[in-house]
Amino acid sequence: AQSVAQPEDQVNVAEGNPLTVKCTYSVSGNPYLFWYVQYPNRGLQFLLKYITGDNLVKGSYGFEAEFNKSQTSFHLKKPSALVSDSALYFCAVRDLYSGAGSYQLTFGKGTKLSVIP
Amino acid sequence: ETGVTQSPTHLIKTRGQQVTLRCSSQSGHNTVSWYQQALGQGPQFIFQYYREEENGRGNFPPRFSGLQFPNYSSELNVNALELDDSALYLCASSLQFPGLSNEQFFGPGTRLTVL
């Protein structure tokens, strides 16, 4: 079974400050990790993914995420927060070898990011 | 925007009724997945269709069923609606080949309210 934990329901950060949204995961094999963002009354928008390779992954809108295998973490980061970054952020995981074709993503409960002007 | 569309945007039904939600995948994508997102929760995987066949199912009862059509559009059907079925239903499409997975692109969702 695979699972994702986002330990913070809400993160508040001042505009211009760095932000971090935390995510830890559990899979039986190698992980395939994602971050999505959801704005009010909208679907999920893809930010970035990790499959293999460099532990620091760069994505859309200046976001990046750091994969740490020993800590089973995949924290989302941005050097300088914008008010427009305020949204709901979801971490998701899939076991890379969970069966041909099946692409079940398991999501965390989400973290609400509020960037304060 | 992702190119994945869903209809209707909002829907109100009563307990015991049946509902059909529709999804049009992004052009070129051969796989569609459906998720249920209850208020304040992350999306929960319902099932996935690959080349018109169910290709994985989450922990949802058989009254949740689906179809994928040759043009890769899809339907989610829910019979005997219950109050707990009230949620945002998300459709996601992706391009898959055996042994290779790509990211999923989500539609805006259908908000279902069961009274």
Side-chain angles (χ1 to χ4, degrees):
Chain A
Q2 54 198 38
S3 64
V4 173
Q6 293 182 241
E8 302 154 317
D9 290 336
Q10 177 146 358
V11 170
N12 298 320
V13 63
E15 186 177 23
N17 282 2
L19 69 87
T20 298
V21 182
K22 295 179 180 178
C23 170
T24 58
Y25 66 89
S26 174
V27 293
S28 57
N30 291 317
Y32 191 26
L33 294 154
F34 301 83
W35 276 101
Y36 284 86
V37 60
Q38 186 175 37
Y39 295 97
N41 300 315
R42 301 284 295 274
L44 275 69
Q45 184 174 338
F46 170 76
L47 281 179
L48 51 80
K49 66 180 178 183
Y50 171 83
I51 307 175
T52 60
D54 289 340
N55 289 341
L56 187 63
V57 178
K58 294 189 182 296
S60 306
Y61 312 116
F63 284 93
E64 56 190 27
E66 186 171 10
F67 172 67
N68 188 316
K69 187 173 183 178
S70 63
Q71 297 185 2
T72 62
S73 67
F74 189 56
H75 300 331
L76 182 69
K77 300 181 179 183
K78 188 174 183 181
S80 178
L82 300 172
V83 172
S84 57
D85 293 330
S86 298
L88 194 54
Y89 289 80
F90 290 97
C91 181
V93 68
R94 179 201 169 215
D95 186 336
L96 189 58
Y97 300 108
S98 66
S102 180
Y103 191 7
Q104 176 176 345
L105 282 182
T106 298
F107 285 84
K109 291 186 175 182
T111 298
K112 182 180 180 181
L113 173 67
S114 293
V115 181
I116 303 162
Chain B
E1 298 298 329
T2 64
V4 180
T5 60
Q6 292 186 243
S7 63
T9 305
H10 296 88
L11 200 54
I12 299 175
K13 292 285 189 178
T14 57
R15 277 184 303 173
Q17 285 189 312
Q18 178 266 342
V19 68
T20 297
L21 310 182
R22 295 179 173 83
C23 171
S24 178
S25 297
Q26 186 165 314
S27 178
H29 284 182
N30 58 8
T31 302
V32 64
S33 302
W34 285 91
Y35 293 83
Q36 180 195 66
Q37 186 179 14
L39 199 61
Q41 300 295 318
Q44 298 288 319
F45 176 75
I46 303 175
F47 45 58
Q48 179 188 81
Y49 279 80
Y50 172 66
R51 293 184 173 180
E52 303 176 53
E53 293 192 0
E54 189 177 294
N55 186 39
R57 189 178 184 92
N59 189 26
F60 281 82
R63 61 189 183 85
F64 286 78
S65 63
L67 286 172
Q68 185 184 29
F69 299 101
N71 65 356
Y72 300 130
S73 63
S74 176
E75 288 181 355
L76 164 65
N77 299 289
V78 187
N79 294 321
L81 284 167
E82 301 177 0
L83 296 179
D84 286 347
D85 295 334
S86 295
L88 181 68
Y89 287 86
L90 296 165
C91 162
S93 74
S94 59
L95 178 62
Q96 279 190 234
F97 299 97
L100 174 67
S101 293
N102 292 306
E103 60 268 27
Q104 297 182 349
F105 295 90
F106 284 80
T110 293
R111 173 74 62 187
L112 173 65
T113 301
V114 182
L115 302 176

